[in-house]
Amino acid sequence: MIIPKTREEIELMRESALIVSKTLGMLASEVKPGVSTLHLDKLAEEFIRDHGAEPGFLGMYDFPNSLCMSPNAQVVHGIPNENPMEEGDIISIDCGAKKNGFYGDHAYTFAVGEIDPETKKLLQVTKESLYVGIREFKAGNRVGDVGFAIQQYTEKHGFGVVRELVGHGLGAKMHEDPEMPNYGRRGRGKKFIEGMVVAIEPMINAGTHKIKQLKDGWTILTADNRPSAHFEHDVALIEGKPELLSTFHYIYEALGITSDEEAEFRAQTINFHD
Ligand code: MG
Ligand code: MG
């Protein structure tokens, strides 16, 4: 059952989403060769707690850390470790935080130093597909419309859409109804309702859509060991339109990137430095 949120609840969810956004922004300048993912995990946990929130993933389904850190061929759910990141790697960082009883949950795939053009393309197309999907999250549409749009957009570039892992409703629980697959058929699935909040999160592989899992019971990898990218935003349906609760603003600020990609999904101007 989809649980719609009141405007007040959505503002609380925006607060949680912005803590995650700031955490990823803080990490952006720490992603570099020689740094371990476990070090970033510690930084993130401290940062989240300093902002009056709890890490969303730590202990959830017994996950051992605050961040899911998935380098290169890892799709999602990678466990932070002491291995240093290397020049040319990519690292998908998925972060959750809970404050005022509500979760924020979003993700960004970072380049570690210079990466090859093909992988750069994978990151760009996956991020673009996130917005292509968000654009379909509107009154009158259904779950399948978002998945269809993401699948069309990424497959035309020859990339593989992971089937087994999907986006989800978000709220007082990290995973609420509905499931939001990144593939689907137009006009199919549950109908979107005013006030609902979802995490839309394309997980896109350079090659095959097929995956495998490590013996650790968590880490998901591409079946062909080619790279995979993951971008995730938290989005509310307000007055029939998608409204972004999370932002990549802090990441772009840290990396010196100028982008207006989020502008069409904001009804109001957010002062990111309040
Ligand atoms: Mg996530
Ligand atoms: Mg999620």
Side-chain angles (χ1 to χ4, degrees), residues 148-161:
F148 175 83
I150 292 171
Q151 183 175 17
Q152 285 283 108
Y153 191 79
T154 51
E155 285 185 350
K156 86 177 177 218
H157 291 277
F159 297 144
V161 178

Side-chain angles (χ1 to χ4, degrees), residues 57 94-96 105-107 168 174 199 201 230 232:
F57 299 158
D94 196 349
C95 181
D105 167 30
H106 51 280
H168 49 94
M174 175 73 79
E201 50 180 316
H230 180 210
E232 178 177 23

Side-chain angles (χ1 to χ4, degrees), residues 136 140-150 185-188 192:
E136 298 301 317
N141 270 6
R142 293 172 181 269
V143 165
D145 293 300
V146 171
F148 175 83
I150 292 171
R185 294 172 68 183
R186 241 181 217 153
R188 298 295 178 93
F192 297 137

